[in-house]
Amino acid sequence: MTVTPAPPAETVGGYRHEAFLYSGLPEFISGTLSFIRRAVSAGDPVLVVVSAEKIDLLRQQLGAEAGHVAFADMADAGANPARIIALWQAFVQGNAGAAQLCGIGEPVHPERSPSELAECQLHEALLNVAFDAATPLWLLCPYDLEALAAGVIDEAQRTHPFVAHGDQRRASSVFEPINPDDPFDRSLPPPPAGAASVSFGSGDLRRLRALVTGHAEQAGLEKEAATGVVLAVSEVASNSIRHGGGHGALRVWAEGRSLVCEVSDRGHITSPLVGRVRPVPDAGGGAGLWLANQLCDLVQISSSSARGTVVRVYQAAGR
């Protein structure tokens, strides 16, 4: 495996998506500080999206240089990982004309649930098709070797074309690009045997909304969260009617503190960034999944020509 020196930020050129493997907080601070300071010294815009605790530590270490860096708390910006790509796109668009942009984003942390982790990993894979190769964005994604399971680190090296560890940077020898024509061809864990289930077609949306409203009340969702999941399910079911063969099925169950609603149909979703980027008006689709991601804690998609499409939305009580 060939090790290459770290390219200066001002000479990266084009889009670079890199996993930064570190062991514990001191290595995180050391590695990210050098990345940030190199960018600040070159006058390159920088956006750092990590935990609030790490933001505070970086601000303390940067001192006056922190004024040249934009920060966002991952707990807010990336609680639902499907919202993160839009954040990076806004950063790129807001700095149009810059010769080089630098970003740090850490969506994966030990507190993520298995479902959240799966969506973080899909997010990382989709980042490889979210930007044109000529986009001057160097995106560094930290992964804690001490806190994360070995399988999570292995997956990070499969979803990132480049890997950094200490002072070494290299191309990942195990990188596996996602198929942009079939990005959601994966299986989700099956619903529990006791999940409520109902079929629907054109004219049934009011009945579905009433059903989800009742389950949201039983699950203890607050009014805003309940309204959000009801609207999200209605939008996804509308997509099934328009694009999934005119009908579909809804399943609802409780999973821990979350209400889970699953809409399935015979359609096939092939657009890799659907629901992750703000839809263009009159573009012919995508608004429903975008809205679901804005309203709900988590959205999962499984879709293939053989199995059809499953869209699963999660909304937790007490938020």
Side-chain angles (χ1 to χ4, degrees), residues 250-304:
L250 170 69
R251 294 177 178 84
V252 185
W253 67 93
E255 188 172 299
R257 295 174 53 252
S258 292
L259 179 68
V260 186
C261 301
E262 176 187 281
V263 177
S264 58
D265 59 52
R266 296 308 304 166
H268 183 200
I269 297 175
T270 58
S271 174
L273 300 182
V274 66
R276 286 168 168 76
V277 298
R278 186 180 296 276
V280 177
D282 303 322
L289 285 169
W290 166 266
L291 187 60
N293 272 315
Q294 305 311 303
L295 293 171
C296 296
D297 295 328
L298 197 71
V299 177
Q300 292 187 295
I301 302 173
S302 171
S303 186
S304 72

Side-chain angles (χ1 to χ4, degrees), residues 171-210:
S172 173
S173 62
V174 294
F175 172 60
E176 297 177 4
I178 196 168
N179 180 355
D181 298 320
D182 213 3
F184 305 111
D185 186 6
R186 58 174 180 164
S187 297
L188 299 177
S197 179
V198 62
S199 298
F200 64 87
S202 178
D204 290 330
L205 292 180
R206 180 175 294 181
R207 178 167 60 93
L208 289 190
R209 288 193 289 267

Side-chain angles (χ1 to χ4, degrees), residues 36-60:
I36 293 168
R37 283 178 167 146
R38 185 169 54 232
V40 170
S41 177
D44 300 328
V46 188
L47 172 60
V48 178
V49 191
V50 296
S51 69
E53 175 191 9
K54 289 176 176 174
I55 289 173
D56 289 342
L57 291 171
L58 288 171
R59 285 186 186 276
Q60 292 171 18

Side-chain angles (χ1 to χ4, degrees), residues 148-155:
L148 300 171
V152 175
I153 302 301
D154 291 342
E155 184 64 16

Side-chain angles (χ1 to χ4, degrees), residues 41-109:
S41 177
D44 300 328
V46 188
L47 172 60
V48 178
V49 191
V50 296
S51 69
E53 175 191 9
K54 289 176 176 174
I55 289 173
D56 289 342
L57 291 171
L58 288 171
R59 285 186 186 276
Q60 292 171 18
Q61 294 292 322
L62 287 167
E65 291 177 296
H68 300 283
V69 181
F71 294 94
D73 185 349
M74 183 61 78
D76 296 327
N80 179 343
R83 300 175 189 162
I84 304 173
I85 285 177
L87 180 68
W88 290 120
Q89 287 189 333
F91 174 59
V92 170
Q93 293 164 5
N95 292 279
Q100 181 66 59
L101 304 170
C102 294
I104 298 174
E106 188 173 24
V108 176
H109 53 78

Side-chain angles (χ1 to χ4, degrees), residues 128-201:
N128 298 311
V129 298
F131 296 96
D132 185 273
T135 302
L137 174 63
W138 185 355
L139 188 55
L140 194 71
C141 303
Y143 283 80
D144 190 344
L145 295 169
E146 292 184 357
L148 300 171
V152 175
I153 302 301
D154 291 342
E155 184 64 16
Q157 296 183 76
R158 284 190 287 269
T159 57
H160 291 76
F162 299 94
V163 177
H165 189 195
D167 294 329
Q168 297 180 338
R169 285 188 153 86
R170 58 176 171 81
S172 173
S173 62
V174 294
F175 172 60
E176 297 177 4
I178 196 168
N179 180 355
D181 298 320
D182 213 3
F184 305 111
D185 186 6
R186 58 174 180 164
S187 297
L188 299 177
S197 179
V198 62
S199 298
F200 64 87

